[in-house]
Amino acid sequence: MTSAGTIEVEALRKVFHQTGTGEAVVAIERLDFVVAQGEIVAIVGQTGCGKSTFLNLLIGLDRPTDGRIVIGGRVPYDQFDHFRGVLAAVFQQDRLLPWRTAIDNVRLPLELLGQQPSDQVERARAWLDRLGLARFEQAYPHELSGGMRQRVALARAFVIEPALLLADEAFGHLDEVTAAALRTAFVDLARTAGNTAILVTHQLEEAIELGGRILVFGRPGKLLADIDLKTWPVGAVASLRAEIQRMLQSNAPEPRFAVRTERESRA
Amino acid sequence: MKPGDTIGGETVAALEARAPFRFPREMVVALAVLAIAWEIVSLLVPPFIVPGWGRIFKSLATLRMDFVLVTLARVVGALVISFALGLGLAVVMYASVAVERYGRPIVRLLMAVPVVCWILFAVLWFKWVEFRIAFVLVVVCGPVFLVDVLDAMKGVSKDLRDMLRSFRPTRAQTFTKLVLPATVPAILTSWKINLSLAIRVVTIAELVGAVTGIGYGLVVAQELFSVSDVFAWTLILVVILFLAEAVLTRVEERVLRWRA
């Protein structure tokens, strides 16, 4: 049986049609890869490479034009309700509900899952505490700094202990110190819980800092490279950085990073 | 200092939110200047055109204050009914695109009909005076509530919708956890608009057929050619409106304390 956090992406394609003209815009040309349960993966690419579109497809907010995404043996768009409590996302903006206090924002997913109010409070409080926000649980989002709000959003994602955690440019707009701290917290929490985590970013440094697997996306939505940083000696990371940058600029894969499709891997 | 900064363990925004009541000096000065100007004009023209404050206050003492309560009861009752209908229909139109597409033109049509026409229709169609007044108020205020609430529901940010959807809420949960709370500011604004509208409309509606209420009081004053009574009633209406708006503003500050 497939683990709940395993992701299989096969011949995925997404085309949008412009309002008015009806002109087709290819957001994702073709994507094939597999992410194993508990793996932490960074998706890096320039603006317009379909990263956010891919994440929306992964969450199940949108339907692929062709191909498929399967998470734990199920299709997120078609079997939407199955993923209740299975996945959680942190977005570029914190997306906190402004009329709820920090603790009530963290409780939100637990309310949706129908948990006991006392359990909701206990678990939300524990996560806020863990992220250093114990003193601010009754603060409204507008009373918190950007970094604090994003920590509340992290707590909201982690509180349901999902099998799959997604972050869409979640730390890119914060100052470097705060971003690094939150990134570390995100990865540590994911590792501790054994979650599969996908972190989408346009910052190469951020992807490298995660120290796990990097999927390099080219335009429009194609896989240029699939790199496992653990197989790279520490001293070679600088040259790897330069090679990824070259790939991103040329929008073409380097031969040594040739990506095999899922079907080819299986064969 | 930014809202997120802290002083003594509390955020700046939280401390600012508890700032003491600020005396509305500018408003008081402006109204005082207007009152003095009025008094000066009343000294220059005959009292049957512009009565002085002394005459107006003397009239105030003789007016039937139970009429004020009657008018207020009509306004509050009709606004509650209008809100319930407006909110209910907004929810239905929000839930069904087809109902909204067919319903919108009808609502726009209702809003385009002048108040005077509604009053005439009410007189022609209904015998019972209270029903006439309630009908006019509901048909004028109901569509305003409906449009304001519906637009607010449809205007809920896509980012927040997507965030909530990622947690897989039921339709009812989406409505109660996101759409309804997000609509509260628009609901309060709509109450403010409709309160002012209803107080003006009820007075006109009471001119036709009613034997109680401020509108009726105004008719009597006009028939007796008592200009000071007319001004006294007008003063009462303005004060009611100011007080009601002040109450709603306080409610708004309390309910929307989460706003920056």
Side-chain angles (χ1 to χ4, degrees), chain B residues 6 115 137 191:
Chain B
T6 57
V115 176
L137 285 171
W191 265 94

Side-chain angles (χ1 to χ4, degrees), chain B residues 4 47 58 67-68 86 96 107 115 130 142 157 173 189 236 258:
Chain B
K58 208 177 277 175
F67 281 7
V68 177
S96 163
V107 174
V115 176
E130 289 306 323
S157 112
Q173 284 174 331
T189 306
I236 288 173
W258 49 267

